[in-house]
Amino acid sequence: MTDTLDLEFPEPRPARGGAAVGSADQALDAVEAWFRAQSKMEERFGRIFRQAIDEVLDGQRTARFDINADGLVTKTERTYLGTKVEIICQDEFHLDRGKKMDYSVAGHDVDAKFSMHSLLGQAIPREAVGNICLLMHASDKESRFSVGLVRVTPDILNASSNQDGKKTISALGRSRVRWLVREGRLPENQLLHLSPIVRGAIFDRALSKQERVNQLFRKVQNRIIHRRTVTTVAQQHDGPKRVRDARSALAAEGIIILGYRDGHPEIARALELAVPRQGEWISTRVVRRPPGDTRPAALLQDGYYVRAREDEVPQPVSARYGAGE
Amino acid sequence: MTDTLDLEFPEPRPARGGAAVGSADQALDAVEAWFRAQSKMEERFGRIFRQAIDEVLDGQRTARFDINADGLVTKTERTYLGTKVEIICQDEFHLDRGKKMDYSVAGHDVDAKFSMHSLLGQAIPREAVGNICLLMHASDKESRFSVGLVRVTPDILNASSNQDGKKTISALGRSRVRWLVREGRLPENQLLHLSPIVRGAIFDRALSKQERVNQLFRKVQNRIIHRRTVTTVAQQHDGPKRVRDARSALAAEGIIILGYRDGHPEIARALELAVPRQGEWISTRVVRRPPGDTRPAALLQDGYYVRAREDEVPQPVSARYGAGE
């Protein structure tokens, strides 16, 4: 890694008539190339934002799932989210601290700027002008995120500033952004995207935490449930334990909960469900395969079962299904 | 739990001549009694502050250990620390949210106020006046914390306010505080209290993360090392793995690292060392017991060993010591 100061590079010339300075900015080229060379870059950025939002929500302690929920998530926490993103990003890509800015990337100082509102929603402080910015934006509601690089020159800033003297990037600036990820897919915040009715049934205050986990797997069937979802619903770290207990509780209703081992993936495949990986589960209601039935069937403890239609009467199943149990 | 509004209680009368209103405040009495009835209250508050500071430092990702380090820990993070304390406290004591304030304790709204500077360092917003405040203060440098309860009445506030209209509690207010914990012992931040020379030897930038963990156990002997210390030095979650590897590396220098199982506690006891519990280790340098030596001795793989004096030449030991290995 070279140890070159940004200052050794020529000051970027103000663009005339909106022409991009583009490849005349060798430092920006180098930073862009560095990020593009990182394996699974897009996936890793997605995980960074998911992790940062989840850590600030702290669902395990607070049962919160909506970073935009006024009254539940404070302004201090939303401000801190940007800091958490910067920390996790630095750690994920093993970045050194910059001389003056957040990071040193390929020997160049890079300032990290996260905004929940939009990629160009950041207020740029005066001292960042002239520097390379890593612009980051994630929307949990839309399950989307974007990442871009831009050299913040005075000509791409809007004229007006806020009371701290910070300015936002103009429409011209947007055309200068070099996108690393444009509208990438943020790992989903499952609770945020459940219908309010289902969510209300899960977070019913009359229920114990175990009953809430039972409700989760009862109400959200046939799709992968992530560990982080269970953690927030259970409000405790040991999600897997709660899931095992839910398995026993729901067996009486004919609902099975499949995990990533004990032959469960084979059952999921046989029933043509998504196959859980570690830290994931999927639940579905089953009934004994009626004679002559052509639905995909899986062998459980005591015979072949198929996914139940809504009109089929619930039948209890043995809570022991799958190979290893 | 009663569902009584604070408003149903009479407004606390302004005290005359500094006389405490004391037991005339039944709501405050009830809140105080509730906290005092919690088992291990002091220990739990200590853990809350330790956990909150450690989470904000995020040593595993940042290798930071000093919440007061300017330039490394931002103002945003220090502000957020108060939020994290409130969240962890709510979770630890299973508190409900208050109607208007942070918590509902014994049916009464309680506002949580954390300050890194002092117990009465908090700026009290106008809307908190009249309410019960849980005042919390922790000093990582002094390994001390205090917790108190006070009804914030206008007469205990200083006359002057900051630009947000917030006021601090006066000297009179201090006499009104009902202390739940006064100068309690905060679980130690070990890295913060190492000498700068030792710390510099551990965090030497030329060292790999494994070598840093080796240095930790080489330089900090004969005292318990906590998992959180290893996590920050190793900058990774799997501290135990790093410790196992350090054990092999340091055996060549005659340094043993004892954990909480595999017969290690027995070795620690035999050598008259503190005995590690889960998530703790202790290292010490040993030599074969010389004939006629009277130091406390422990049986390792191939004979009796004693703790080495500084002037004794290092002797390698087998990295396999203790029962289970």
Side-chain angles (χ1 to χ4, degrees), chain A residues 36-50:
Chain A
R36 292 202 188 281
Q38 301 308 303
S39 76
K40 300 186 179 179
M41 179 194 66
E42 177 165 341
E43 182 186 324
R44 288 161 81 186
F45 271 115
R47 268 189 310 192
I48 288 164
F49 302 128
R50 178 76 273 138

Side-chain angles (χ1 to χ4, degrees), chain A residues 276-296:
Chain A
R277 292 173 296 187
Q278 188 162 9
E280 295 180 344
W281 296 274
I282 194 165
S283 66
T284 196
R285 190 165 74 84
V286 294
V287 290
R288 270 177 191 284
R289 179 171 59 181
D293 193 280
T294 57
R295 279 173 283 182

Side-chain angles (χ1 to χ4, degrees), chain A residues 51 55-56 58 60-62 64 71 74 76-77 79-80 83-84 87-88 91 96-97 205 235, chain B residues 51 55-56 58 60-62 64 71 74 76-77 79-80 83-84 87-88 91 96-97 205 235:
Chain A
Q51 183 70 24
E55 287 191 23
V56 172
D58 202 350
Q60 178 185 331
R61 294 192 183 108
T62 66
R64 298 179 302 181
T74 62
T76 298
E77 289 175 288
T79 305
Y80 176 75
T83 307
K84 191 93 270 186
I87 288 173
I88 300 178
D91 181 57
D96 286 324
R97 297 285 298 172
R205 288 185 64 90
Q235 268 189 272
Chain B
Q51 184 69 25
E55 287 191 23
V56 172
D58 202 351
Q60 178 185 328
R61 295 194 182 108
T62 66
R64 298 178 304 182
T74 62
T76 298
E77 289 174 289
T79 305
Y80 176 75
T83 307
K84 191 94 267 188
I87 288 173
I88 300 178
D91 181 58
D96 285 324
R97 299 284 299 173
R205 287 186 64 90
Q235 268 188 270

Side-chain angles (χ1 to χ4, degrees), chain B:
Chain B
M1 192 186 302
T2 60
D3 204 12
T4 319
L5 273 168
D6 277 335
L7 296 175
E8 296 180 27
F9 284 83
E11 282 289 305
R13 296 153 299 170
R16 293 196 190 150
V21 288
S23 56
D25 194 333
Q26 290 173 297
L28 188 54
D29 291 346
V31 171
E32 182 184 1
W34 188 92
F35 274 109
R36 293 202 188 281
Q38 301 307 302
S39 76
K40 300 188 179 179
M41 179 195 64
E42 177 165 342
E43 182 187 325
R44 288 161 81 186
F45 270 116
R47 269 187 307 182
I48 287 165
F49 301 129
R50 177 77 273 137
Q51 184 69 25
I53 294 169
D54 287 349
E55 287 191 23
V56 172
L57 285 170
D58 202 351
Q60 178 185 328
R61 295 194 182 108
T62 66
R64 298 178 304 182
F65 50 81
D66 183 358
I67 195 79
N68 291 299
D70 287 322
L72 287 176
V73 178
T74 62
K75 190 161 171 291
T76 298
E77 289 174 289
R78 283 188 209 129
T79 305
Y80 176 75
L81 175 59
T83 307
K84 191 94 267 188
V85 166
E86 288 167 30
I87 288 173
I88 300 178
C89 182
Q90 179 172 1
D91 181 58
E92 175 64 40
F93 290 110
H94 308 291
L95 299 171
D96 285 324
R97 299 284 299 173
K99 287 185 177 57
K100 293 184 174 179
M101 298 285 127
D102 296 318
Y103 307 145
S104 175
V105 179
H108 304 288
D109 261 32
V110 173
D111 207 18
K113 291 275 175 221
F114 176 79
S115 166
M116 275 175 55
H117 305 293
S118 68
L119 191 73
L120 302 179
Q122 292 87 351
I124 308 286
R126 204 165 300 156
E127 60 271 23
V129 174
N131 284 293
I132 298 171
C133 271
L134 178 70
L135 301 169
M136 299 181 278
H137 164 61
S139 165
D140 215 6
K141 196 170 171 191
E142 295 165 12
S143 300
R144 286 281 177 275
F145 72 91
S146 296
V147 181
L149 286 164
V150 73
R151 168 83 68 180
V152 180
T153 50
D155 60 312
I156 67 163
L157 294 175
N158 286 310
S160 61
S161 57
N162 70 6
Q163 69 266 34
D164 302 330
K166 293 180 179 176
K167 296 182 173 190
T168 50
I169 294 175
S170 67
L172 169 63
R174 172 170 281 269
S175 71
R176 293 269 185 82
V177 173
R178 302 189 186 183
W179 300 90
L180 293 172
V181 183
R182 195 161 190 165
E183 301 282 301
R185 207 188 138 281
L186 184 68
E188 196 191 5
N189 180 333
Q190 298 189 299
L191 292 168
L192 187 62
H193 294 105
L194 290 178
S195 81
I197 292 171
V198 169
R199 219 160 46 203
I202 294 167
F203 284 103
D204 186 337
R205 287 186 64 90
L207 300 179
S208 72
K209 284 164 187 173
Q210 181 60 53
E211 286 168 334
R212 289 184 185 183
V213 175
N214 299 352
Q215 275 290 59
L216 172 67
F217 286 102
R218 185 185 285 125
K219 298 288 183 185
V220 187
Q221 294 185 23
N222 304 315
R223 48 176 290 202
I224 294 289
I225 301 289
H226 297 288
R227 184 188 183 123
R228 56 180 178 267
T229 303
V230 176
T231 299
T232 299
V233 171
Q235 268 188 270
Q236 72 169 47
H237 187 67
D238 195 3
K241 168 74 169 67
R242 292 285 192 195
V243 177
R244 284 195 298 277
D245 291 348
R247 192 169 281 150
S248 309
L250 296 186
E253 302 166 32
I255 297 168
I256 59 174
I257 305 176
L258 303 171
Y260 78 104
R261 56 182 184 180
D262 301 327
H264 288 180
E266 289 68 29
I267 297 174
R269 259 187 291 272
L271 295 174
E272 296 187 358
L273 291 165
V275 178
R277 291 173 297 187
Q278 188 163 9
E280 296 180 345
W281 296 272
I282 194 165
S283 66
T284 196
R285 190 166 75 83
V286 295
V287 291
R288 272 176 189 284
R289 179 170 62 181
D293 193 281
T294 59
R295 282 172 280 182
L299 183 62
L300 300 189
Q301 178 82 346
D302 57 352
Y304 279 91
Y305 283 75
V306 295
R307 281 165 63 183
R309 287 187 306 261
E310 273 203 29
D311 61 329
E312 285 174 308
V313 176
Q315 304 167 2
V317 294
S318 161
R320 292 182 301 144
Y321 35 82
E325 307 194 44

Side-chain angles (χ1 to χ4, degrees), chain A residues 201-202 207 210-220:
Chain A
I202 294 168
L207 299 179
Q210 180 61 53
E211 287 168 335
R212 289 185 186 183
V213 175
N214 299 353
Q215 276 288 60
L216 172 66
F217 287 102
R218 184 184 286 126
K219 297 288 183 185
V220 187

